Structures are given as C-alpha cells and as structure tokens.
Amino acid sequence: MTDRLGELTAAGVAVWLDDLSRVRLSSGDLDRLRRERHVVGVTTNPTIFAKALSDAGEYNGQLRDLAVRGVSVEEAVRMLTTHDVRWACDVMRPAYDASGGVDGRVSIEVDPRLAYHTEQTVAEARALWWLVDRPNLFIKIPATEPGLPAITAALAEGISVNVTLIFGIERYTQVMEAFLTGLEQARANGHDLSTIASVASFFVSRVDTEVDRRLDKLGGSPEVAALKGRAAVANARLAYQRYSEVFSSARWQALADAGARPQRPLWASTSTKNPDYRDVVYVEELIAPGTVNTMPESVVTAFADHGEVRGDTITGAYDDARAVLDGLASVGIDFDDVVATLEREGVEKFEASWLELLDGVRRSLEAAARGAGQPNEAARDSAAAAARAGGDA
C-alpha cells in the first residue's frame, strides 16, 4: 500500500493532529496515530476542549474531585485541560526525542479573553508552562497587536510558543520579528536557544471562506469566478516566501549559530469548508520543507487514502500566488480588510467557545456537587454551541 502520509513527511511536512480528548488518550488512539499515521504533534483550542469535555464520561471522576474541593470554574477548566495536554505531551515524547526536540509538540492556548492584553497573556503563559511542566509543550498566543510583545516576552523567558490566528503577510512579518527579538533577549538572559521552539500558525481555509463570500457578491463574471477558492493557498505561499527571506538573513544566522531553530510555518484550518473543493487541497497545495500541517483526523484519513505528494508545491508558485492577490484587488476585494476581519472574528470565535466551555464545566461541577451520576451530560448543549461558534487549530 502507498504510504501517502509517509511521503508527505519525507517531503518535509510535519503531520500534526488538530484534536485532543481524554478518550483519544486513554484508548491509545493518539499513540496509534503517532505510530501508524506519522502524526508528530497535537494542537488544541477551546472548541476542541468543549467537545471533549461533553462527550467523555472519563472526566467524571476528576470533575467530582474538583467539585468537592470547591474550585472556581476557571481553575477547573485549567485542571481538566492541562491534565490532557500533559498526558498528550507524554504520548508524543517519542516523536520529540526522535526529532531532537523539533516535533512531538502539544499546544495549549492562553485564555482567548486575554487576546488584547499583553501582561495578562504573559502571566498566563508562565502559569501554563509551569503547570504542564513538559519540555515539548507549546503555549498558544494569538497574533494580535498586543499579542506580539507577549510572544517576545514569553520566548525571552525560555517558553516555547505557537503563535496562532495569523491571516496576513504583514502581521506574519511582525510575528517573525517578535520571534527574532524574543530569541535575542533569551540569549541575553542566558537561555539555551536550542531548547526554545516556535511555530507560526497561518490560517488557510477561513481565507477562502471570507474571500469567496465577497466574490459571490460581485456576480458570476469569468474574471471573478476564476478567483474563487484560490486566495487561501496564494496567501499561504507568499507567507512561505517571506519566511524563506527572513530565515536566510544575517540576523537569523547569528541566532542559528547560537543554537536557535527556525520558527516553522504551520498551516492551520486545513479542512475545506466548501464541499466543492477537494478535501485535501490545503495539504496538497502547501507542501514545502520545514513546514507543519495540522489537520483534523478526517483530513489525516482522507490524505492517507487519496492525497497526492507532488514534491514542493510552494516555492515555484510565487508569481502565480501574487497574480491571484493582484486579481482580487483588480475586482475590488480589499485583502487587508479581509485579514483584519478574519483576525477579529477569529478572536471572537475562540472567546465564544471559551465562554461555552466555562459554562459547560460550571454546570458539570454543579451536577457533580449534587452527586449526579453523569455530570458531563450537562455540558453537551454548551459544546454544541461552541462547535457552532467555530474555531480550528
């Protein structure tokens, strides 16, 4: 049988899973994906945790203990989620060791309500880093303007960071600047740069969803129709071009000589939202060395079944990518407004999912305190609402 995921890995793309639950951990499913499907990393978000906490009875015992202790809802959420992330870090530890610390990473996100608060974000990053206490952890910090100095500060303290919610090239450039500055400060602080890692999560499918929505309002001319479903890949390819420029600079080389590793581009939100598009398009069209693609299991399975690895599908396509964005401008699509809208909505969606998660855990704690037999059942409506709010990678 063709090992398509193995071919993807050999082409330089690290396969990460965009999902986590205690059932997946306790059943050995995550370890199976690591051993059999080339999965070498895990990403989580509030929507994923809301679903996990509503579907699994395995949380009941911990919920009862938390209820007996009378902890706050916020503390309960952190105890529940960090337990799973710590466990996942241990499951992924063989991938971490085999890659010399490059892969085998598991991400946990700071409270999305802090996305526009720098100091609070840094404080929570420290707390999560201490609480999980695993070297293969990533702390997810959103790439908002207030998030940029938080990224630098966390890296300067030796905390590995997954920068999330990146949509545009300009913001991505600022993220890489924050990364370089953070490593320079970490070196000045005496940290071993080889122990600090980072990825920059560049969201993909949501770009097509928003651009296609705007294109549909312009009518069905051939010029407009030719642009549908092309913006996301074009945008990501130009991001990789910028990555290649930054990480070939003299400034970067000085850090590399001190043991630093590059901040890899991570393609997030890679499940297609339009059923007319090929289900693995955001994997097939974004293959290049030194990248990460985080996928829900449905996309992992689909690529294993029928994905195609055609070598590097990014670096030879920069001119075409630029032409797509130029074409969008020519028909009146303001791409800067697209990415600003997506960033704002991305924060709002994750915040909504977080609030639903808090509400579900609150009700579960109340049920557990009353001695109910199935405290997690109280969270299911909240999880459904969180899923509707959306949020991937």
Side-chain angles (χ1 to χ4, degrees):
M1 293 179 62
T2 301
D3 184 2
R4 294 178 172 87
L5 291 166
E7 292 177 1
L8 185 64
T9 299
V13 180
V15 178
W16 289 12
L17 179 70
D18 188 30
D19 189 46
L20 186 64
S21 70
R22 199 162 293 182
V23 167
R24 192 182 286 281
L25 289 161
S26 63
S27 67
D29 182 67
L30 181 61
D31 190 51
R32 177 189 63 81
L33 290 171
R34 179 188 62 81
R35 290 181 286 103
E36 300 177 6
R37 294 289 197 179
H38 302 276
V39 170
V40 292
V42 177
T43 51
T44 67
N45 61 51
T47 306
I48 286 171
F49 280 127
K51 181 178 185 299
L53 285 160
S54 69
D55 288 347
E58 295 196 24
Y59 291 98
N60 291 347
Q62 189 178 5
L63 281 164
R64 290 190 187 96
D65 287 347
L66 292 167
V68 168
R69 289 172 56 207
V71 304
S72 69
V73 174
E74 285 79 6
E75 182 181 354
V77 167
R78 281 313 183 198
M79 293 300 101
L80 293 161
T81 58
T82 56
H83 179 284
D84 286 3
V85 168
R86 187 182 306 110
W87 189 348
C89 283
D90 291 342
V91 172
M92 283 289 136
R93 186 59 186 258
Y96 174 81
D97 293 337
S99 65
V102 174
D103 283 307
R105 300 279 175 168
V106 183
S107 298
I108 187 169
E109 189 164 348
V110 299
D111 185 335
R113 294 173 298 178
L114 305 179
Y116 300 108
H117 304 278
T118 302
E119 291 186 8
Q120 292 95 321
T121 294
V122 176
E124 184 163 0
R126 291 191 194 105
L128 290 171
W129 186 252
W130 170 83
L131 190 57
V132 175
D133 192 27
R134 293 295 186 271
N136 50 332
L137 177 69
F138 270 143
I139 304 298
K140 291 179 76 172
I141 298 176
T144 57
E145 286 191 17
L148 296 171
I151 293 160
T152 294
L155 290 164
E157 295 185 19
I159 297 172
S160 294
V161 175
N162 176 344
V163 184
T164 189
L165 288 177
I166 308 172
F167 294 97
I169 307 298
E170 181 179 353
R171 181 53 52 83
Y172 180 41
T173 302
Q174 295 171 334
V175 166
M176 289 186 285
E177 170 66 26
F179 169 74
L180 295 175
T181 302
L183 287 192
E184 288 165 347
Q185 293 180 9
R187 179 177 57 186
N189 292 337
H191 289 288
D192 179 357
L193 298 189
S194 68
T195 66
I196 305 172
S198 183
V199 293
S201 295
F202 206 90
F203 280 52
V204 184
S205 68
R206 295 191 196 184
V207 173
D208 272 344
T209 299
E210 179 64 19
V211 170
D212 286 359
R213 183 185 67 81
R214 298 186 185 203
L215 288 171
D216 286 340
K217 293 182 177 181
L218 300 178
S221 71
E223 183 183 12
V224 169
L227 292 168
K228 289 195 66 176
R230 300 186 65 193
V233 168
N235 191 42
R237 284 172 171 169
L238 293 175
Y240 188 82
Q241 182 182 37
R242 186 64 58 85
Y243 156 81
S244 300
E245 293 167 354
V246 169
F247 288 95
S248 60
S249 66
R251 182 184 181 188
W252 164 248
Q253 190 58 52
L255 289 166
D257 290 344
R261 308 168 190 263
Q263 182 188 55
R264 289 184 294 172
L266 179 151
W267 311 127
S269 185
T270 55
S271 60
T272 53
K273 307 302 188 287
N274 187 332
D276 293 334
Y277 297 159
R278 183 168 166 82
D279 56 358
V280 291
V281 64
Y282 300 130
V283 183
E284 292 176 335
E285 300 301 324
L286 294 174
I287 297 174
T291 59
V292 179
N293 197 305
T294 185
M295 320 171 200
E297 188 173 7
S298 60
V299 178
V300 174
T301 300
F303 196 90
D305 178 70
H306 54 265
E308 298 179 5
V309 178
R310 304 187 304 274
D312 185 337
T313 55
I314 295 181
T315 56
Y318 296 146
D319 289 344
D320 180 68
R322 176 55 60 191
V324 170
L325 295 194
D326 288 345
L328 291 172
S330 71
V331 298
I333 300 296
D334 183 346
F335 200 74
D336 289 339
D337 183 67
V338 167
V339 298
T341 297
L342 289 170
E343 179 184 298
R344 183 181 66 256
E345 291 181 348
V347 172
E348 291 171 353
K349 288 176 180 178
F350 278 147
E351 182 174 343
S353 292
W354 187 259
L355 292 174
E356 296 292 350
L357 173 59
L358 289 172
D359 183 60
V361 171
R362 178 183 297 106
R363 290 192 284 161
S364 293
L365 288 171
E366 291 170 353
R370 293 194 301 269
Q374 297 294 330
N376 271 341
E377 290 181 0
R380 287 179 181 161
D381 290 342
S382 294
R388 290 193 296 271
D392 37 14

